[in-house]
Amino acid sequence: MEFKNTTLSNGLTIIAEINPSAKSMAAGFFARTGSRDETDEIAGVSHFLEHMMFKGTAKRGALEVNLEFDELGASYNAFTSEENTVYFAGVLPEFQTAMLDLLGDILRPAIRQEDFDMEKEVILDEIARYEDQPTFKMYEHLMASHFQGHPLARNVLGTPDSVTALKRDDMQQYFDRRYSPGNVTLVGVGNIDWDAFVAKADETCSHWKPFDADRTLTPCGGSGVRTAVTDPKINREHIGVMSPAPSAQDESRFAAQLLGTIVGDTTGSRLYYALIDPAIADEAHTSYDMLDGTGGFLTFISTDPRRASEALEIALGEFGSIMDAGFSDAELQAAKNKIASSATLKGEVPMGRLTAVGFDWVYRKEYMPLAQQIEKLFSVTADDVMGVASEFDLTKVTVLALGPLEGI
Amino acid sequence: MSQVFHTEEFANGLTLVAEHIADVSSSAITISLPAGVRFDPEDRAGSAAVLAEWCFRGAGGRDTRGLNDALDALGCQHHESVSSRHMVFLSTQLGRNLPAVLEILADVLRRPTLDDKTFAPSRDLIRQDLDALEDEPAKKALMQLREKFYPEPLGQGIYGSQESLAALSPEGLRDHAATCMSPAGAIISVTGDFDWDRLRGLVGEHLGDWSADAPLAGETRPPARGVTHITKDSAQAHITLAHATVTVSHDQYYAAHLAATVLSGGMSSRLFTEVREKRGLVYHVSTSYHSLKDHAGMFTYAGTVPPKAQETLEVTVGELRRVVEDVTEAELAKAKTQLKSSLVMRGESTAARAGAISSDWYHLGRLRSLTEISRAVDAVSLDDVKAHLQQWPARDFVMLVIGPEPLDTSCLNA
């Protein structure tokens, strides 16, 4: 395993974790932009733009991009979150150069009007698709509630109205404001020919013009409100709970991850024994979500509506009991072992390692080999974890319930 | 690329298959017992799902917490699932913890506590899963489509019904466990980092003297088939279609797989291009191949807002049919590259390989190397694909839609 990095003259940083024994390689452009960088007028543009990146460039037509990826046998896609947009592809090593030629080219999209109009239809369908997924809708409502007044409250997809009203030139302006080479990182993982990787990136991306694309980070303590969004069409009560947590830049993020696992891993956690084991809920899990300049502990619960209040109070009781009475050494060790196993499994596949390596760099300009990461994880003490629990107060929660109930 | 396979068939009918993967430190285990929905007693659908949940609530003298904590302490991530034929336990962990995890899983297989106290919550979780399906119309549509497509009860939904779950009792389900949790026909697959001699020895030690008769599967009945509309005030119409194709062991298997890839592999595939990219009708449209031992189908899903549902159905069915007439050499070449690349990339994941070799053993009674599969893919000609599509045309659809309004289905018979 070898780490390399360089920066092109226009500010595009290129990093790679090279593993000559891997059988494939993966690459991704990580753009530090998402719905938190939007305004009301252009709500949903980050995600819509992500789609348009696959609809052609100055030298490739709308259908050619997908065709070329498929001809390379690539496993490729993109995703947009509140604060990142990532375009990625995995291929066999012999296709590295051809893949990078394509992936680099699409980051400078043509955004042709007719393709824009057609894709708008697809986006509206995607919004409708998520309407039929209450867990997803609940997450959107929860983020909007917890982060109210903060840019992270903005949902990724936008609304049917905002997407319908969006114009091609609005999207171009957003692109010209956010996709500066200095705001994008090219990440490679797996069996990579580094010299060829850099040479191709230079050829494909060095004409990108740099400009300032900063993001102002403002803190957020969370609204702490409880809301029920009533929808009688939904069968179950989908409850989301969020409380503040360390940011992606915070050194205590390992302790936070352990705390999230002890409290709410899908097996053997506090919530598992309190809610799943007695079948009060069929889903109850907590994760630590690290964000740019802030963070959150995020808990999802799905229950019968008649047991929703009970389930919520039990979960909150567990949060309180961790803060008051702590946890056992066995719980901490199990959490460490589970996180280490899962990171190891993910890390054995280049496509799995890509986001870990990419986000370490995007958030902290740091590279950490998996082994070192696991070492750091194992060096976290119970005091470190309790420090996070008390500093961030697990019981200072924003609650959102979506389902048939009128209140919770 | 050379692969190192091992197999061991024990006298009690249990087969251990394994693939050593270099340069990884993880290992994956799948345990497939002949205890899937196929074996659910007729009036007690959902038995397998409840049993899979119940099995992890104490075993070998450990209670629920003791069992879970022991697995957690080993960094083991486990997941239980149920298919038509099998009840499957999947577990991933570091290779060095494999022996200890195996010992615990052997307790789950042979000495599950299955006490009255833990029965009710186990059943209640499955009852809630069934309820939750109402909030996931796309998943529900595909599950019910399978039910109507495969001979009964092979495609039966794993959660059963409220009535069949209510009919379960701890005594009845313990009896069911005694007949179907059997080594006869069970497959254990292990991949990644392990020592074969030690692994074989451990499995022999823990499971070699396990004996039970093979469970008997009841007769199958012809499937319901037909066109079903389930009215729901949903944001999208969830359209699902199934038509018959060849099974994994059939000599046209690779041709079928390549045809499915031409139709739905990647974003330049026929369906994605014609239904989404050129017409903007959907966000998601796909066709996937699914096979049981003796029956297989191509399952198509398209989700769209109701005003576009009729056109979506017609264009989708049109594309499923047109491919036989004009599939090109270029499309076939692309599909071959896609299949071979994904084989190599999936081959890097211990969990994916554990599933693959277990499936190979079940369907074929042997393990296929990536080289063998690659060669078989390469050997398929355009004429082979066309001949396959002519023999297994996109006709006689079983269709199921969840959405506000029924659709005009005359295009299915055109």
Side-chain angles (χ1 to χ4, degrees), chain B residues 37 40-50 119 123-131 133-134 140 143-144 147 156-168:
Chain B
V37 292
D40 281 358
E42 198 157 335
D43 54 346
R44 275 163 286 158
S47 290
V50 177
F119 167 77
R123 176 174 62 181
D124 200 30
L125 278 183
I126 303 304
R127 201 243 335 129
Q128 293 185 54
D129 285 339
L130 181 64
D131 269 354
L133 208 49
E134 295 305 316
K140 178 179 166 178
M143 258 176 103
Q144 298 213 341
E147 217 162 280
Q156 181 178 277
I158 61 171
Y159 306 133
S161 65
Q162 298 294 354
E163 297 73 37
S164 69
L165 290 173
L168 298 181

Side-chain angles (χ1 to χ4, degrees), chain A residues 21-25 47 51 54-55 62-63 66-77 90-92 95 118-119 121-134 233-238 265 267-269 272-283 302-304 306-307 330 333-335 337-342 344-345 348-351 378, chain B residues 1 21-28 53 56-57 64-66 68-69 71-78 92-94 96-97 120-122 124-125 127-132 134-138 232-238 265-269 272-273 276-284 301 303-305 308 330 334 337-338 340-342 344-345 348-351:
Chain A
S21 70
K23 298 183 181 58
S24 69
M25 60 82 62
H47 168 256
H51 280 231
F54 290 86
K55 304 291 280 188
L63 298 175
N66 290 339
L67 182 63
E68 280 188 50
F69 272 122
D70 284 343
E71 282 171 348
L72 298 172
S75 170
Y76 61 105
N77 212 330
V91 290
L92 303 188
F95 298 124
M118 182 67 80
E119 199 60 20
E121 293 286 316
V122 173
I123 303 287
L124 291 170
D125 240 305
E126 187 174 358
I127 293 174
R129 177 179 170 85
Y130 285 114
E131 281 295 321
D132 285 346
Q133 296 179 23
K233 286 189 298 185
I234 296 174
N235 215 31
R236 316 245 329 136
E237 199 66 25
H238 302 265
D265 193 27
T267 62
S269 64
Y272 175 83
Y273 288 121
L275 292 174
I276 304 294
D277 186 41
I280 294 167
D282 73 318
E283 251 188 78
S302 155
T303 71
D304 287 345
R306 65 189 167 80
R307 301 198 81 170
Q333 285 310 318
N337 287 332
K338 287 194 281 186
I339 296 171
S341 284
S342 141
T344 301
L345 273 138
E348 287 171 354
V349 186
M351 285 281 268
F378 276 95
Chain B
M1 164 188 348
I21 300 175
D23 304 315
V24 301
S25 52
S26 76
S27 72
E53 181 66 44
F56 278 84
R57 290 174 182 251
T64 306
R65 192 178 280 264
N68 267 292
D69 287 355
L71 290 169
D72 273 5
L74 294 163
C76 159
Q77 297 193 310
H78 58 95
T92 52
Q93 54 279 311
L94 298 182
R96 65 167 186 265
N97 290 333
S122 303
D124 200 30
L125 278 183
R127 201 243 335 129
Q128 293 185 54
D129 285 339
L130 181 64
D131 269 354
E134 295 305 316
D135 289 343
E136 299 170 85
K232 185 180 172 77
D233 183 16
S234 48
Q236 283 196 313
H238 302 272
M267 296 202 264
S268 70
S269 64
F272 201 88
T273 303
R276 172 167 153 166
E277 299 294 89
K278 289 191 182 169
R279 294 179 177 81
L281 288 170
V282 300
Y283 170 71
H284 185 100
Y301 170 88
T304 185
V305 291
K308 296 194 286 190
K334 183 182 69 173
T337 307
Q338 288 175 282
K340 288 187 289 184
S341 289
S342 88
V344 175
M345 288 193 263
E348 294 181 294
S349 152
T350 49

Side-chain angles (χ1 to χ4, degrees), chain A residues 262-304:
Chain A
I262 292 168
V263 171
D265 193 27
T266 50
T267 62
S269 64
R270 291 293 176 96
L271 291 187
Y272 175 83
Y273 288 121
L275 292 174
I276 304 294
D277 186 41
I280 294 167
D282 73 318
E283 251 188 78
H285 48 86
T286 303
S287 58
Y288 160 55
D289 196 3
M290 56 180 196
L291 296 160
D292 202 358
T294 185
F297 288 110
L298 187 55
T299 299
F300 284 173
I301 301 170
S302 155
T303 71
D304 287 345

